[in-house]
Amino acid sequence: MTNASSPKQAVVIGAGLVGALWTVFLARRGYRVDVFERRPDMRAAGYAGGRSINLAMSVRGWAAIDKAGIRDKIEKVAIPMPGRMMHAADGQLSYQPYGKEGEAIYSVSRGGLNLELLQIADAYPNVQFHFEHRCTDVDLQNPQISFEDLRTGQHKTVEAPLIFGADGAFSAVRYALQRTDRFDYIQRYIEHGYKELTIPPAADGKHRMDPNALHIWPRGNFMLIALPNADGSFTCTLFLSFEGEISFEHLTNNDAVLAFFNRYFADAVPLMPTLVEDFWANPTSSLVTTQCYPWQWQNRILLIGDAAHAIVPFYGQGMNAGFEDCTILDTMYDAYGGDWARIIADFSAQRKKDGDAILELALRNFIEMRDLVGDPKFLLRKKIAARLHERYPGFLPVYSMVSFSNTPYHVALREDDHQNELFRRILALPGIETNWDGPEVERVFTEWVKP
Ligand SMILES: Cc1cc2nc3c(=O)[nH]c(=O)nc-3n(C[C@H](O)[C@H](O)[C@H](O)COP(=O)(O)OP(=O)(O)OC[C@H]3O[C@@H](n4cnc5c(N)ncnc54)[C@H](O)[C@@H]3O)c2cc1C
């Protein structure tokens, strides 16, 4: 099928968000790219018209979109969320900006974005998509990829000198690497699962809540969040333990579901007319993290996106990290004059610590979102951090570092530990609730900043 003798030839496995974007980067460089995707072509299957699921895109995602030269196409469907709107148990609303004036994360439709990326990639004559082709194995020695054509049940093999595994958290390409000597692999499920629900548009087509915010109902060990869609709806996600006193295992009938929502998310219930139907129609999905190393095989097979680093969604960074993989690879391409052996080896060696760091930061942010955003001490910390940032622009709160800068994730993680120590000292100051902007805070800060 694909003859792989040409040096400017690559195979991408997986046409999800990262695989589709990476194909655009390769195509722009003049590569002949064969993309193999297990699912049917979402353009024909009408994916964009299906259930709307959205993602938060931040600076790292936009940086890749910019580098690929496609911002105008994506921007038109993105909704800015400059802050989070917290819904207290009694229905009280409070708003926390995420960053400075003008900074926002953006709600984008997963299907819409994927579709747009496929269309952009497919416009290149040097790109060939093979939908309904499931990668079943990779023979690393040749290297040769085996596929099942899901329409015919036929099995095929494809030779390729350069292979990118962008086939997600349960990557078949990674599975082939897992069977090699000294390949490390860790997979963990967290105890929480998630279920997607909907707040439809109001009768006039408008959003039923402020569309320019990420809405959160933090409830200790669990939470509901809602992100706006361009069609006036919100996609909500309930994050809840699978088992335990308050958990999915007790939500077994309509009454239990309604009682749970009325008790914990009372102000959301009137906005969700199809709550019970959606609850049963939509799956309860699990959340997995994976770590592996190396991300490559003999400098010619490379894992990117979730295939290399699958994380929990609580920092809104999984796709952003995968898009940043593309930015970094494309930058290395220039720096190393297109020498893939060096690019692949260096990328795998250098980027791994960032994958591990964002995994840890995302787990930490779960605690922040579900628990701390309703905690007065935490809110005080945010207020002091914002003031320090205003006064000392060099001091960047970690959320801003992750979401509004391209600082490597491992630096952000180190800074998170460092800033936790700063705020431990500041919040221990007597009378800090009233003197949060006083000279004592400045003194602690100045001491902390000293090398
Ligand atoms: C509930 C939830 C919310 C999230 N929210 C955010 C967010 O707000 N912001 C953010 O940045 N990230 C978010 N993420 C993470 C984000 O969804 C992922 O990081 C992102 O989708 C990874 O893209 P990918 O292309 O690497 O993998 P995927 O999106 O999983 O795509 C992999 C592709 O490979 C195909 N494939 C799989 N196996 C094979 C095979 N054997 N052969 C051929 N094709 C195959 C699949 O069909 C798919 O198309 C969220 C994740 C979840 C679960």
Side-chain angles (χ1 to χ4, degrees), residues 51-55 81 85 87 107-108 193-201 207-210 213-217 223-229 231-240 248 260-261 265 267-276 278-279 282-285 313-314 369:
R51 206 153 52 93
S52 194
I53 296 174
N54 43 27
L55 299 153
M81 301 183 291
M85 186 71 82
H87 296 241
S107 176
V108 292
Y194 71 95
K195 191 181 279 288
E196 266 142 2
L197 301 163
T198 307
I199 294 179
H207 289 94
R208 292 179 191 229
M209 304 185 293
D210 181 351
L214 190 154
H215 292 257
I216 307 189
W217 291 256
M223 67 176 175
L224 181 72
I225 65 167
L227 274 74
N229 295 308
D231 67 358
S233 66
F234 283 86
T235 303
C236 308
T237 313
L238 170 67
F239 294 98
L240 180 68
F248 278 114
F260 171 76
F261 273 83
F265 311 117
D267 62 329
V269 174
L271 312 178
M272 305 169 92
T274 54
L275 166 62
V276 171
D278 292 347
F279 194 90
N282 297 341
T284 305
S285 306
F314 305 115
M369 284 177 84

Side-chain angles (χ1 to χ4, degrees), residues 18-41:
V18 175
L21 179 64
W22 182 233
T23 300
V24 175
F25 275 101
L26 288 170
R28 281 162 60 93
R29 297 269 182 196
Y31 276 77
R32 151 88 212 225
V33 194
D34 283 279
V35 188
F36 293 87
E37 165 59 47
R38 184 179 57 184
R39 291 178 303 187
D41 185 348

Side-chain angles (χ1 to χ4, degrees), residues 27 34 38 47 57 64 66 81 113 128 145 168 192 256 258 290 320 323 340 352 384 399 405 409 416-417 423 431 435:
D34 283 279
R38 184 179 57 184
Y47 189 81
M57 182 137 84
D66 273 338
M81 301 183 291
L113 177 59
Q128 175 81 50
I145 315 163
H192 289 70
L258 276 174
T290 64
N320 283 287
F323 280 12
W340 282 112
K352 160 74 174 155
I384 298 169
Y399 186 88
S405 90
Y409 289 126
D416 197 47
D417 291 334
F423 286 102
N435 297 326

Side-chain angles (χ1 to χ4, degrees), residues 13-19 36-39 54-56 110 133-135 166-170 172 194 196 237 239 287 304-307 313 316-320:
I13 303 179
L17 295 168
V18 175
F36 293 87
E37 165 59 47
R38 184 179 57 184
R39 291 178 303 187
N54 43 27
L55 299 153
R110 176 192 284 273
H133 276 68
R134 183 174 71 89
C135 169
D167 49 345
F170 300 98
Y194 71 95
E196 266 142 2
T237 313
F239 294 98
L287 291 165
I304 54 174
D306 274 17
Q317 284 296 314
M319 166 193 66
N320 283 287

